[in-house]
Amino acid sequence: MLRFLTRRTLGGILTLLIISAVTFFLFFAVPADPARLACGKVCPPELLEQARHNLGLDQPLFAQFTAWLTGIFAGRDYGGLGYCPAPCLGYSFVNRAPVFETILDRLPVTVSLTIGAAAVFLAFGVATGIVAALRRGRPTDKIASVSSLVGASLQIYFVGTLALYFLVYKNQILARPRYLPFTEDPLGWAAGLTLPWMVLAIIFTANYTRMTRSTMVEQLGEDYVRTARAKGMPGHSVVLRFALRGTLITIVTIFGVDLGALIGGAIITETTFGLQGLGRLSLNAVTDSDLPVLMATVLVAAAAIIVFNIVVDLLYAFIDPRVRLN
């Protein structure tokens, strides 16, 4: 297990390094001039040259990448433009602040949105899929299948806009979406994110219902499940100990990818409900041509997906005894 974890961690670090290199070189391939962004709209030529020197843009491209990579662990001084302490993911000359501080400020919003929505759509999606599989061909199965198909076809901005109008502004059933720190007001934190959780869960619950139902039907037809039933094992034990355990492999795999992607930033959801998370941050970075922030959000999203994939690989050994991590 330790050897496997070490190998997967080193592989993840190598992957993240490759992604950072590709992202960095794309950063300098875009038409925008980082020095001009740092200097401002009205920038005399002499100040523009000074900004290029402080940013290291007068150095070879590989030297610039090395300086940027070293700055992540040692910090970096941008001269008169600003100082970025370690860990330094760059300095935003639009916000006039280190990018890592901005990421830490927005991360709790995205994490809160992700955890709450994931708990809802995982619980309801798996439970509905199991019920549909156990009642295959019956009205319950047909209703669940049609509902999941409709849910998977909906878009967040459409459902979110309708939910805001009917549940918040017109009938005032739910609180207006906003973020409050959990440590300051747990009830306000949950109330402000309830509607985004519900809307985000509608889309994902449909996918998990369909996936759980199809995988569970397949598992219920396996020989070891029929053998357990033939030996007189209770129905709930057969479902929970055998069929569901085989289904969890597929569920955990997709869940790890979805969770990593949501941590990287739910752009449409955060924009629809006005939440200032990583998704909204990356969208603003594109609009403002804030390239350091854009690079950092890409790396954060990549790191989240890599970490959750490693966790998923480790969970395989605990879910399915047939998996061997050799």
Side-chain angles (χ1 to χ4, degrees), residues 15-294:
T15 303
L16 192 59
L17 182 62
I18 295 174
I19 293 175
S20 64
V22 172
T23 305
F24 180 85
F25 290 117
L26 287 177
F27 171 81
F28 286 92
V30 297
D33 185 0
R36 185 167 295 280
L37 291 175
C39 191
K41 295 182 179 180
V42 181
C43 184
E46 59 274 9
L47 291 181
L48 183 62
E49 290 300 322
Q50 182 64 32
R52 285 198 176 96
H53 175 72
N54 291 337
L55 291 173
L57 299 178
D58 53 354
Q59 301 293 323
L61 194 58
F62 183 76
Q64 296 178 36
F65 174 69
T66 304
W68 176 78
L69 195 62
T70 304
I72 295 179
F73 305 98
R76 189 174 180 183
D77 187 5
Y78 290 94
L81 300 176
Y83 176 74
C84 179
C88 177
L89 295 177
Y91 189 88
S92 172
F93 302 104
V94 175
N95 302 325
R96 300 293 175 178
V99 174
F100 187 72
E101 294 182 2
T102 306
I103 294 291
L104 288 182
D105 182 62
R106 301 293 186 92
L107 187 60
V109 180
T110 301
V111 171
S112 299
L113 176 64
T114 300
I115 291 177
V120 175
F121 69 68
L122 186 63
F124 280 91
V126 173
T128 306
I130 293 175
V131 172
L134 295 177
R135 289 168 171 76
R136 181 175 49 173
R138 300 178 183 179
T140 304
D141 180 26
K142 295 179 181 180
I143 293 174
S145 299
V146 172
S147 301
S148 63
L149 182 61
V150 173
S153 303
L154 297 175
Q155 298 296 324
I156 293 177
Y157 55 82
F158 173 74
V159 180
T161 303
L162 291 180
L164 279 172
Y165 176 74
F166 287 105
L167 299 180
V168 177
Y169 300 126
K170 184 176 182 179
N171 299 312
Q172 299 180 352
I173 298 176
L174 296 177
R176 180 178 59 85
R178 60 174 180 167
Y179 174 76
L180 293 174
F182 178 81
T183 54
E184 296 180 5
D185 187 1
L187 294 179
W189 170 81
L193 293 175
T194 298
L195 186 59
W197 288 344
M198 292 171 54
V199 173
L200 195 60
I202 288 175
I203 311 299
F204 282 89
T205 296
N207 296 329
Y208 280 82
T209 297
R210 297 173 61 190
M211 180 177 57
T212 303
R213 186 234 179 235
S214 61
T215 310
M216 179 66 74
V217 169
E218 180 181 350
Q219 290 295 319
L220 290 173
E222 293 289 341
D223 293 338
Y224 67 91
V225 174
R226 292 199 298 265
T227 301
R229 285 177 170 173
K231 290 182 177 180
M233 182 173 292
H236 67 275
S237 297
V238 173
V239 172
L240 297 179
R241 292 183 57 185
F242 294 99
L244 180 59
R245 195 167 186 176
T247 305
L248 285 179
I249 290 290
T250 304
I251 296 174
V252 168
T253 302
I254 305 301
F255 183 68
V257 176
D258 290 340
L259 203 60
L262 288 175
I263 290 292
I267 298 177
I268 299 178
T269 305
E270 293 177 5
T271 302
T272 301
F273 296 104
L275 300 174
Q276 300 297 325
L278 292 181
R280 189 69 176 270
L281 178 65
S282 61
L283 181 63
N284 293 337
V286 174
T287 304
D288 299 333
S289 297
D290 195 352
L291 302 181
V293 172
L294 190 58

